[in-house]
């Protein structure tokens, strides 16, 4: 897998993330709105369990873990965003839902954020 974090703009230094969380992540490669909701629900559970302690409660950790939960079409979709398109997990999740929770969306057709 080619995990690129280039579409993310991290405003602070990168923090170490809980290694256990990586092994517990569900992996999303594409699917219908039910698969999207399931993936987001499982991801939220991982955030609650592993990112609640102060040493792991950082935006960069949550953003990187979400990217690590993507593969195939979903990872390609993410990597097609311009550099520094996302500044928060919420930005990524909103774009993810726009792309995959829309029954009219086409495979491999990312929503590109315009850079100013």
């Amino acid at each position: 897998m080619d995990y690129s974090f280039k579409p993310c703009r991290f405003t602070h230094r990168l923090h170490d993330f809980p290694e256990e969380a990586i092994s517990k992540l569900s992996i999303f490669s594409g699917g219908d709105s039910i698969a999207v909701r399931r993936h987001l629900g499982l991801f939220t559970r991982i955030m609650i369990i592993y990112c609640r302690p102060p040493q792991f409660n950082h935006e960069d950790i949550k953003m990187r873990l979400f990217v690590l939960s993507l593969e195939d079409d979903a990872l390609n979709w993410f990597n097609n965003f311009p550099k520094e398109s996302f500044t928060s997990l919420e930005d990524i999740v909103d774009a993810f839902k726009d792309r995959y929770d829309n029954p009219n969306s086409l495979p491999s057709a990312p929503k590109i954020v315009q850079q100013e």
Side-chain angles (χ1 to χ4, degrees):
M1 296 289 150
D2 178 25
Y3 291 103
S4 170
F5 299 105
K6 290 177 189 169
C8 296
R9 180 166 37 113
F10 301 113
T11 56
H12 302 286
R13 70 174 177 87
L14 296 182
H15 297 87
D16 292 331
F17 49 80
E19 293 294 326
E20 321 84 76
I22 295 172
S23 66
K24 302 294 184 186
L25 288 173
S26 65
I27 303 300
F28 184 86
S29 59
D32 60 17
S33 60
I34 294 171
V36 168
R37 291 183 198 120
R38 181 178 183 277
H39 181 72
L40 291 173
L42 293 171
F43 184 78
T44 299
R45 184 178 306 156
I46 295 299
M47 294 301 96
I48 290 169
I49 295 169
Y50 295 101
C51 292
R52 183 172 284 170
Q55 71 270 27
F56 300 126
N57 191 8
H58 300 284
E59 197 70 15
D60 68 283
I61 293 173
K62 296 170 187 177
M63 292 168 71
R64 289 183 294 149
L65 285 173
F66 192 83
V67 174
L68 292 174
S69 77
L70 305 176
E71 69 178 13
D72 300 333
D73 180 65
L75 184 59
N76 290 333
W77 161 82
F78 177 81
N79 285 334
N80 279 319
F81 278 91
K83 184 178 180 182
E84 298 186 347
S85 294
F86 303 111
T87 59
S88 68
L89 176 62
E90 182 179 4
D91 291 347
I92 297 171
V93 169
D94 286 347
F96 176 78
K97 289 193 294 190
D98 284 349
R99 166 63 181 91
Y100 288 101
D101 201 17
N102 179 351
N104 298 322
S105 63
L106 300 172
S108 301
K111 175 185 173 188
I112 302 298
V113 175
Q114 297 294 321
Q115 289 186 326
E116 296 179 20

